[in-house]
């Protein structure tokens, strides 16, 4: 056999050998995991996690954690197979996020999990890199010009796109996935505010965005890394470029390409006198050349902060309103039930205390970010007496904290917005952020909190004044919690199908 005919056969043999080697390596990782973890921890928590038996009694992992934490005298439990301490104790949260902040960074392990997607963005770094980006973001997000620019975009998007889409669905009696509608709305809005560019995802034709789809896939697959019982599993798959890691690599490649195109477009349009956040970050560098990788990480961080969190909160809000029509009616009465579907003014929104309470009560039960992890740099003891070894993961869970009777009382499971109101006028009074860490707290408290609340408030008021939302099928209507998809932010499995009904013609 000559070389020309022998080459394909040799290539096939090499391919088979490589595949066999890959399978053996993955098998070895699994064996090492079992040898390392299983025999050394036979507690019911670890066995339930590894076998998935918790799912027999609980809809979501967060519900299982909430159950364990309610039963714990300290509000803290250990999941040994993950090397993780999980807490819903406000004193512990304050200790990690404020009192001993420097000892509880994001950590290299967390950065590795999300590094391929978030890079050196503000949500994935510690130390000087974090302080620099936070200072820049704080200056921009606190700017009156930026806030005014952002609210103008939000109001225009509601008036020109969101309301017409819902009105068309009402007029044709069509079933729409309201979660998808809100995600499109939030994506268009954050792209305009952050980059000065309009992807047009909420146009009547509902066009698909390659960036949005790739971003969805990337966040979902990164979350799967964090849920793995050992980093050996996903690291082996990444090395071999197989399975979920190959899918993640392809998704991130597309995110990178589209982010680069967005940055090129922004440079072409110029940054002078532009109020979008990307332009302001670029302009703040003055004559210095801003690294495209740095800008890419900013783009991805803005998308993560401004899109999925807002759409998640709006989806669960209307789930709750569909089961509590009296709350929707009270929101209409407060906003001024004049039949208008247009966005109200910013000043009017600020005075809507009951609506503000409804939003906070919704996020108490369904926080967009259900878990947040830190790593203990040096061995420490939490205020509840829990010992944490150096290098161990510590996770607090806002989802479970919203379901703790020791924090919210015996009616913790009830949707009761008036728990946030006090005084004769029913003024909104916030809870301590360490008891309600939906927007984090301490030195890492969310800088976009006020902008996000304003956006959600404007959407909620515009929709409830014009429409009634009727849930189709079982989604969001039963006694059980909605089932959430694994991801960095909470999204409802199967979407949120609804029918829209006009309140008046």
């Amino acid at each position: 056999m000559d070389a020309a005919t022998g080459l394909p056969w040799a290539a096939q043999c090499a391919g088979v050998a490589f595949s066999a080697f890959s399978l053996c390596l993955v098998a070895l990782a699994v064996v090492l995991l079992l040898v390392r973890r299983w025999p050394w921890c036979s507690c019911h928590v670890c066995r339930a996690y590894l076998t998935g038996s918790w799912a027999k009694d609980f809809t979501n992992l967060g519900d299982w954690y909430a159950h364990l934490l309610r039963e714990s005298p300290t509000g803290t439990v250990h999941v040994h197979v993950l090397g993780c301490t999980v807490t819903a104790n406000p004193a512990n949260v304050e200790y990690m996020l404020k009192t001993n902040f420097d000892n509880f960074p994001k950590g290299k392990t967390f950065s590795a999990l999300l590094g391929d997607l978030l890079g050196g963005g503000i949500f994935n770094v510690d130390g000087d890199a974090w302080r620099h980006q936070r200072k820049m973001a704080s200056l921009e997000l606190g700017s009156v010009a930026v806030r005014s620019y952002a609210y103008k975009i939000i109001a225009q998007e509601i008036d020109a796109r969101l309301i017409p889409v819902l009105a068309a669905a009402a007029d044709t009696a069509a079933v729409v996935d309201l979660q998808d509608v809100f995600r499109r709305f939030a994506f268009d809005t954050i792209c305009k505010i952050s980059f000065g560019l309009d992807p047009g995802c909420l146009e009547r034709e509902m066009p698909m965005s390659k960036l949005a789809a790739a971003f969805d896939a990337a966040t979902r697959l990164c979350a799967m890394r964090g849920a793995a019982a050992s980093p050996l599993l996903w690291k082996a798959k990444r090395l071999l470029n197989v399975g979920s890691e190959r899918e993640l690599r392809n998704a991130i490649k597309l995110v990178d390409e589209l982010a680069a195109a967005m940055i090129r477009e922004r440079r072409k349009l110029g940054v002078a006198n532009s109020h979008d956040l990307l332009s302001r970050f670029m302009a703040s560098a003055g004559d210095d050349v801003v690294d495209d990788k740095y800008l890419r990480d900013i783009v991805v961080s803005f998308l993560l902060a401004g899109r999925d969190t807002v759409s998640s909160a709006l989806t669960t809000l209307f789930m709750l309103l569909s089961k509590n029509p009296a709350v929707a009616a009270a929101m209409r009465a407060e906003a001024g039930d004049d039949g208008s579907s247009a966005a109200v003014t910013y000043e009017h929104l600020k005075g809507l205390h009951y609506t503000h309470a409804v939003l906070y009560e919704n996020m108490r039960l369904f926080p967009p970010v259900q878990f947040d992890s830190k790593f203990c740099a040096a061995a420490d003891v939490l205020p509840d007496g829990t010992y944490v070894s150096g290098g161990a993961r510590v996770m607090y869970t806002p989802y479970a904290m919203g379901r703790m009777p020791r924090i919210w009382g015996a009616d913790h499971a009830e949707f009761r917005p008036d728990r946030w109101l006090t005084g004769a006028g029913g003024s909104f009074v916030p809870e301590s952020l360490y008891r309600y860490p939906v927007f984090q707290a301490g030195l890492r408290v969310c800088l976009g909190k006020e902008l996000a609340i304003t956006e959600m408030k404007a959407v909620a008021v515009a929709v409830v004044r014009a429409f009634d939302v009727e849930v189709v099928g079982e989604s969001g209507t039963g006694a059980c919690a909605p089932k959430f998809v694994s991801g960095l932010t909470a999204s409802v499995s199967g979407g949120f199908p609804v029918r829209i009904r006009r309140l008046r013609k």
Side-chain angles (χ1 to χ4, degrees):
M1 183 180 293
D2 60 26
T5 57
L7 183 60
W9 178 84
Q12 289 176 14
C13 288
V16 171
F18 179 76
S19 298
F21 173 75
S22 301
L23 290 173
C24 288
L25 195 58
V26 172
L28 177 61
V30 173
V31 170
L32 288 174
L33 167 68
L34 294 176
V35 169
R36 181 185 175 196
R37 301 289 193 185
W38 184 271
W40 299 106
C41 187
S42 59
C43 75
H44 71 284
V45 173
C46 292
R47 286 191 178 275
Y49 186 88
L50 284 172
T51 63
S53 62
W54 62 265
K56 296 176 182 177
D57 301 310
F58 301 95
T59 306
N60 302 293
L61 185 63
D63 295 308
W64 179 54
Y65 279 148
H67 166 73
L68 295 174
L69 293 164
R70 281 194 297 268
E71 289 193 331
S72 167
T74 61
T76 303
V77 297
H78 294 287
V79 185
H80 306 102
V81 293
L82 295 178
C84 184
T85 298
V86 184
T87 188
N89 187 317
N92 292 345
V93 174
E94 182 172 5
Y95 186 75
M96 290 188 293
L97 300 185
K98 178 186 176 185
T99 310
N100 203 15
F101 173 80
D102 289 336
N103 199 42
F104 293 91
K106 287 286 185 180
K108 293 181 179 179
T109 304
F110 182 90
S111 296
L113 285 173
L114 301 181
D116 293 332
L117 175 62
L118 297 183
I122 190 171
F123 300 119
N124 205 43
V125 292
D126 294 303
D128 291 340
W130 169 73
R131 291 185 181 89
H132 173 71
Q133 289 189 54
R134 186 171 177 84
K135 181 180 179 181
M136 294 290 296
S138 179
L139 288 172
E140 300 305 339
L141 289 170
S143 162
V144 174
V146 169
R147 291 190 179 190
S148 176
Y149 169 78
Y151 186 70
K152 182 178 179 182
I153 287 172
I154 292 166
Q156 288 175 342
E157 191 73 13
I158 290 171
D159 186 51
R161 287 182 177 162
L162 179 62
I163 295 302
V165 164
L166 297 181
D171 294 341
T172 58
V175 174
V176 296
D177 180 355
L178 196 56
Q179 178 171 252
D180 180 56
V181 170
F182 286 146
R183 294 179 89 178
R184 291 169 179 271
F185 168 83
F187 189 71
D188 282 357
T189 303
I190 195 61
C191 284
K192 288 181 178 181
I193 293 171
S194 298
F195 321 125
L197 302 172
D198 181 10
C201 292
L202 198 56
E203 294 285 359
R204 293 288 186 93
E205 300 78 16
M206 294 290 199
M208 290 299 296
S209 165
K210 290 182 179 179
L211 177 58
F215 193 74
D216 285 345
T219 54
R220 172 177 55 83
L221 293 164
C222 283
M224 288 173 58
R225 284 179 170 181
S230 171
L232 285 173
L233 296 175
W234 68 261
K235 287 182 178 180
K237 289 197 290 183
R238 182 174 67 172
L239 177 65
L240 301 171
N241 194 28
V242 297
S244 59
E245 285 297 314
R246 181 171 185 170
E247 185 183 353
L248 175 60
R249 181 172 295 179
N250 291 336
I252 290 176
K253 181 181 178 183
L254 185 54
V255 169
D256 289 347
E257 291 173 353
L258 295 171
M262 193 177 290
I263 293 166
R264 286 196 301 271
E265 182 66 15
R266 188 67 265 168
R267 288 191 192 280
K268 186 192 305 181
L269 293 173
V271 300
N273 301 316
S274 296
H275 293 300
D276 64 273
L277 295 173
L278 181 60
S279 292
R280 293 175 72 93
F281 265 81
M282 294 167 73
S284 67
D287 296 330
D288 298 333
V289 177
V290 184
D291 178 61
D292 278 6
K293 175 64 169 61
Y294 171 73
L295 293 176
R296 176 266 180 211
D297 293 344
I298 288 175
V299 166
V300 173
S301 296
F302 283 157
L303 287 177
L304 181 65
R307 181 234 183 175
D308 290 350
T309 51
V310 168
S311 61
S312 174
L314 287 172
T315 299
T316 54
L317 171 65
F318 281 91
M319 277 189 178
L320 290 170
L321 292 181
S322 70
K323 293 184 284 186
N324 297 273
V327 174
M331 290 172 65
R332 292 185 192 110
E334 180 186 50
D337 190 9
D338 60 1
S340 171
S341 60
V344 298
T345 66
Y346 177 72
E347 289 302 318
H348 185 49
L349 278 184
K350 287 173 61 177
L352 302 180
H353 287 255
Y354 183 76
T355 298
H356 206 98
V358 171
L359 291 175
Y360 267 64
E361 181 71 349
N362 164 55
M363 289 186 289
R364 177 182 72 84
L365 292 171
F366 298 114
V369 180
Q370 298 184 349
F371 313 98
D372 190 27
S373 292
K374 310 295 181 188
F375 280 83
C376 186
D380 209 338
V381 178
L382 300 179
D384 67 359
T386 300
Y387 173 79
V388 184
S389 59
R393 178 181 172 192
V394 186
M395 181 173 75
Y396 68 90
T397 163
Y399 186 89
M401 292 180 76
R403 289 162 167 73
M404 298 292 283
R406 69 189 72 178
I407 299 177
W408 300 102
D411 64 350
H412 63 90
E414 296 180 20
F415 176 61
R416 193 167 65 77
D418 60 0
R419 75 173 75 239
W420 295 89
L421 303 173
T422 189
S427 298
F428 174 82
V429 177
E431 183 55 87
S432 163
L433 290 179
Y434 304 107
R435 294 162 62 89
Y436 181 82
V438 170
F439 296 98
Q440 291 211 51
L443 297 179
R444 277 191 181 264
V445 68
C446 177
L447 293 172
K449 172 186 169 184
E450 296 306 321
L451 180 58
I453 289 292
T454 299
E455 183 173 356
M456 290 186 282
K457 218 171 180 181
V459 171
V461 169
V463 175
V464 299
R465 288 169 77 193
F467 306 107
D468 185 37
V469 176
E470 176 189 348
V471 180
V472 174
E474 296 297 321
S475 179
T477 61
C480 297
K483 183 174 178 60
F484 293 105
V485 181
S486 176
L488 300 180
T489 53
S491 60
V492 180
S493 177
F496 183 39
V498 302
R499 281 195 176 88
I500 307 295
R501 182 172 61 85
R502 287 182 185 266
L503 292 177
R504 57 181 59 83
K505 291 289 185 183

